[in-house]
Amino acid sequence: MVREIEEPVRLKVYLLEGDRVDGVPAVDWILERVRELGLRGATVYRCFAGCGRRGHSEARILRTSMNLPVVVEVVDSLEKVERLLELLKERLDVGVVTLERLEVAYDLEG
């Protein structure tokens, strides 16, 4: 079955693994908000390198602890994603958040 997504958008949140919100890892906090808001879902990408205002991170075999970049990606309707975006604005004090409009999107259920 194909479900259309009205005004589809992609929200991306760029963070570091060590970033926290209310004492919990920011990634976990975001995933919990996605569940609470009933969004279609989220995908988290753990990256092996990155650089930005807060410095440079990369995975090295000899390092015992790493604070690697992570990206949380959510695709859903603009209406639903805007609710998450408001929570991120209120609570997230690190990272970069982007919002992109998508041209064609559908959700296949099987």
Side-chain angles (χ1 to χ4, degrees):
M1 182 167 107
V2 175
R3 290 188 311 169
E4 296 293 325
I5 301 172
E6 287 205 30
E7 292 186 83
V9 295
R10 175 177 35 232
L11 176 93
K12 286 188 179 182
V13 184
Y14 298 84
L15 301 162
L16 294 174
E17 286 178 314
D19 292 338
R20 300 182 89 67
V21 177
D22 297 336
V24 300
V27 169
D28 294 340
W29 185 89
I30 293 169
L31 292 176
E32 186 59 31
R33 303 297 79 76
V34 167
R35 284 189 283 275
E36 288 175 357
L37 293 170
L39 296 171
R40 280 177 163 71
T43 301
V44 178
Y45 302 96
R46 185 174 190 228
C47 307
F48 64 88
C51 64
R53 290 188 311 253
R54 295 190 286 159
H56 177 85
S57 300
E58 65 180 286
R60 296 191 184 210
I61 294 173
L62 298 177
R63 291 172 85 180
T64 57
S65 66
M66 295 174 266
N67 194 22
L68 294 174
V70 291
V71 178
V72 181
E73 182 174 287
V74 177
V75 174
D76 210 320
S77 68
L78 177 61
E79 179 184 340
K80 289 182 177 182
V81 170
E82 281 180 334
R83 289 184 260 157
L84 176 60
L85 190 55
E86 287 304 312
L87 291 173
L88 293 172
K89 285 179 185 176
E90 290 173 11
R91 305 307 292 267
L92 194 65
D93 60 359
V94 294
V96 174
V97 178
T98 63
L99 185 64
E100 307 165 70
R101 292 190 186 276
L102 303 176
E103 288 190 29
V104 177
Y106 56 88
D107 187 2
L108 294 174
E109 287 186 8

